Amino acid sequence: MVKICCIGAGYVGGPTMAVIALKCPKIEVVVVDIFEPRIIAWNSDQLPIYEPGLDDVVKQCRGKNLFFSKDVEKHVAEADIVFVSVNTPTKTQGLGAGKAADLTYWESAARMIADVSKSDKIVVEKSTVPVKTAEAIEKILTHNSKGINFQILSNPEFLAEGTAIQDLFKPDRVLIGGRETPEGQKAIQALKDVYAHWVPAERIICTNLWSAELSKLAANAFLAQRISSVNAMSALCEATGADVSQVSHAIGKDTRIGPKFLNASVGFGGSCFQKDILNLVYICECNGLTEVANYWKQVVQVNEYQKTRFVNRVVSSMFNTVSGKKIAILGFAFKKDTGDTRETPAIGVCRGLLGDKAILSIYDPQVPQEQIQRDLSMHKSELDKPPHLRPVSAIAIEQVTCVRDAYEATKGAHGICVLTEWDEFKTLDYQKIYNDMQKPAFVFDGRNVMDVDKLRQIGFIVYSIGKPLDAWLKDMPAVA
């Protein structure tokens, strides 16, 4: 019987290990984390993360062959395969600040593995790491090995939040990178045997270590590039009277391009896209590839431009000031079907509006008030720290209130900003909302999910990203 231990009980470690336990009933899977409240939550009925289908998977396996523990060293020592799924945020100071990945937590995990191990182990990179990280980790383990053999594998995750469980059940591919030595190939086969319980052999791709590490960064860079490309087009559509949805549909019909990731929006978010592109930029710069670095840097810059452009449109439309005006924010998570707010465009938009002294009333069905206040009041370097190292409580911002439903958020508001594409926002009673708002009443659709014609018939002035402008908006400057 193989025993698997995963260090890190977050968005990647928890769901991935739960599915491995479900699909491999003869394998014992233990997820460990030093942050005790998170482990308590995994062992309760209220899991620490929201992901459709996750509850069912955990309940089927927990206590049988799936366990959550804070006894990190014990379970690492007993494991045959150790997955490392710790946070690798962007460095905020020192060499590579603002671009390079901070591998502090990864290195401390590697040193702990070397310290407590009494038997040979396969160590699997599950976190997104810079290419060549495996080499550094290998050196730490080898120099502290006490005669124990370690094999390092790269097994990057390609999960999309909101569909993570389905992505794990039916992955497009499982990528395993290892050393091209007999021992390395044996380790690859051991991990391949785990996934082979439910993933067809042709979908398990085996590569060398560096290819696997770089493939993860490249995949996220390509996806983010598509979003920035269509968002750049959305600005041009507004300027010319074209409709970005029609343009996206037309180019998406080209089989060489395809329709996915062509929805214009207020910008991309999530824990990976920006972090991985900046990481890619840093690696390119370190290898003297300045032009390549500048190319990828522009993807992030267009994303920032899109958020700024959205805020400018809100402010300029409302007589060039939102000072003292109540603005309803519908949605704070970076996308629907998740409670994750890491790098959500809502943070940038809300801070921009607060900078103009707006009063914000925020509603999101899955993001708690404490999280919203923390995201808006804390510096990014604080938010990137593990939970046990963050300040205990956020400083409440007076201009921000978090409410329990969309009707409460919009009551008495001058404008509505739709920042997450939650399905429930499409079916609200907008006539009722309009009646309870200040006039003129504005809707700024940052996700292109609203029925614009219906809203205009009710009486709203509507701005939808990349769509032909409302007559009202044409008379207002595009830049505040």
Side-chain angles (χ1 to χ4, degrees):
M1 181 170 159
V2 175
K3 180 169 178 179
I4 290 175
C5 177
C6 176
I7 303 171
Y11 281 92
V12 175
T16 304
M17 293 304 118
V19 170
I20 288 177
L22 180 72
K23 299 293 187 180
C24 310
K26 292 185 178 176
I27 294 178
E28 182 182 320
V29 181
V30 183
V31 185
V32 296
D33 202 296
I34 56 175
F35 186 53
E36 190 172 4
R38 184 178 280 167
I39 292 298
I40 291 169
W42 277 111
N43 284 316
S44 73
D45 290 333
Q46 191 67 46
L47 300 184
I49 61 175
Y50 172 72
E51 190 64 50
L54 178 61
D55 264 21
D56 292 339
V57 175
V58 171
K59 282 172 184 169
Q60 285 181 65
C61 306
R62 194 172 56 197
K64 295 174 185 171
N65 68 323
L66 175 65
F67 305 91
F68 298 92
S69 171
K70 65 179 176 54
D71 196 345
V72 180
E73 295 185 1
K74 172 183 181 291
H75 293 291
V76 168
E78 293 172 356
D80 302 299
I81 301 175
V82 180
F83 284 83
V84 183
S85 185
V86 296
N87 196 17
T88 51
T90 304
K91 284 183 79 171
T92 54
Q93 54 192 45
L95 187 65
K99 291 189 286 251
D102 185 346
L103 299 177
T104 305
Y105 311 120
W106 225 119
E107 183 177 335
S108 62
R111 289 183 182 279
M112 182 271 295
I113 292 167
D115 202 36
V116 305
S117 293
K118 297 178 180 63
S119 58
D120 294 354
K121 300 205 183 315
I122 297 169
V123 179
V124 184
E125 291 177 338
K126 203 66 187 163
S127 315
T128 304
V129 291
V131 63
K132 294 286 187 178
T133 298
E135 194 166 56
I137 301 306
E138 205 168 48
K139 285 173 181 169
I140 290 168
L141 291 170
T142 306
H143 284 281
N144 294 280
S145 67
K146 299 169 291 196
I148 291 162
N149 292 314
F150 294 101
Q151 281 300 321
I152 315 295
L153 299 179
S154 173
N155 175 219
E157 56 82 19
F158 295 101
L159 306 179
E161 286 182 46
T163 58
I165 299 301
Q166 285 309 309
D167 293 344
L168 286 162
F169 282 170
K170 292 184 177 179
D172 290 338
R173 78 291 200 197
V174 170
L175 186 58
I176 304 172
R179 285 286 190 191
E180 292 164 314
T181 61
E183 297 80 11
Q185 294 303 302
K186 190 178 172 186
I188 288 174
Q189 189 60 47
L191 186 55
K192 192 174 177 181
D193 290 344
V194 172
Y195 283 110
H197 281 81
W198 79 97
V199 181
E202 65 272 14
R203 293 200 175 186
I204 302 175
I205 302 169
C206 301
T207 68
N208 70 29
L209 269 172
W210 326 132
S211 297
E213 287 179 331
L214 190 55
S215 294
K216 168 64 176 173
L217 297 182
N220 278 344
F222 274 59
L223 292 172
Q225 177 208 43
R226 281 176 74 100
I227 296 171
S228 281
S229 294
V230 77
N231 282 344
M233 283 295 161
S234 74
L236 184 58
C237 285
E238 287 171 31
T240 58
D243 184 328
V244 74
S245 298
Q246 294 174 354
V247 173
S248 295
H249 181 69
I251 63 174
K253 285 293 182 184
D254 186 326
T255 53
R256 296 167 301 174
I257 298 170
K260 293 185 177 178
F261 279 74
L262 288 180
N263 295 322
S265 69
V266 68
F268 59 73
S271 63
C272 288
F273 281 4
Q274 178 165 311
K275 180 185 76 163
D276 289 358
I277 293 172
L278 292 173
N279 200 336
L280 198 59
V281 167
Y282 182 66
I283 294 165
C284 292
E285 288 175 347
C286 289
N287 284 284
L289 304 171
T290 308
E291 288 79 9
V292 180
N294 289 341
Y295 173 79
W296 289 113
K297 208 182 290 182
Q298 198 61 36
V299 173
V300 175
Q301 287 171 353
V302 168
N303 197 51
E304 292 303 310
Y305 164 74
Q306 189 76 341
K307 287 181 272 190
T308 303
R309 201 168 72 80
F310 187 84
V311 172
N312 288 346
R313 185 67 80 178
V314 173
V315 176
S316 64
S317 302
M318 299 172 76
F319 312 104
N320 226 32
T321 179
V322 290
S323 179
K325 294 176 182 175
K326 178 179 176 180
I327 308 286
I329 304 293
L330 298 187
F332 198 83
F334 83 91
K335 68 175 184 178
K336 72 173 185 177
D337 292 336
T338 179
D340 194 353
T341 61
R342 289 176 292 180
E343 299 292 351
T344 174
I347 294 175
V349 171
C350 288
R351 284 181 176 167
L353 295 172
L354 288 169
D356 208 287
K357 297 188 171 64
I359 297 164
L360 304 184
S361 185
I362 303 175
Y363 167 65
D364 187 287
Q366 286 297 333
V367 184
Q369 176 175 335
E370 172 77 8
Q371 182 67 48
I372 291 171
Q373 287 284 5
R374 184 182 289 124
D375 285 339
L376 292 178
S377 63
M378 283 187 190
H379 189 268
K380 187 179 177 321
S381 60
E382 295 288 340
L383 292 169
D384 278 341
K385 290 178 180 175
H388 63 286
L389 296 178
R390 290 180 199 150
V392 177
S393 61
I395 302 161
I397 300 172
E398 284 182 24
Q399 297 155 262
V400 174
T401 54
C402 301
V403 297
R404 286 172 305 214
D405 67 61
Y407 297 105
E408 192 179 346
T410 54
K411 191 168 187 178
H414 288 259
I416 300 169
C417 294
V418 180
L419 300 183
T420 312
E421 70 279 18
W422 288 103
D423 291 337
E424 68 179 81
F425 298 157
K426 300 175 191 174
T427 56
L428 295 171
D429 183 347
Y430 282 98
Q431 184 65 61
K432 178 179 185 298
I433 287 171
Y434 180 77
N435 294 343
D436 289 340
M437 284 178 66
Q438 303 283 344
K439 308 298 182 299
F442 296 85
V443 172
F444 302 94
D445 183 3
R447 294 289 176 176
N448 282 354
V449 291
M450 298 289 106
D451 185 336
V452 175
D453 293 336
K454 186 178 174 185
L455 292 178
R456 285 183 180 143
Q457 283 170 15
I458 290 170
F460 285 103
I461 294 161
V462 185
Y463 165 68
S464 227
I465 284 180
K467 300 293 184 81
L469 295 176
D470 197 299
W472 175 286
L473 300 172
K474 283 180 184 171
D475 297 334
M476 298 288 178
V479 180

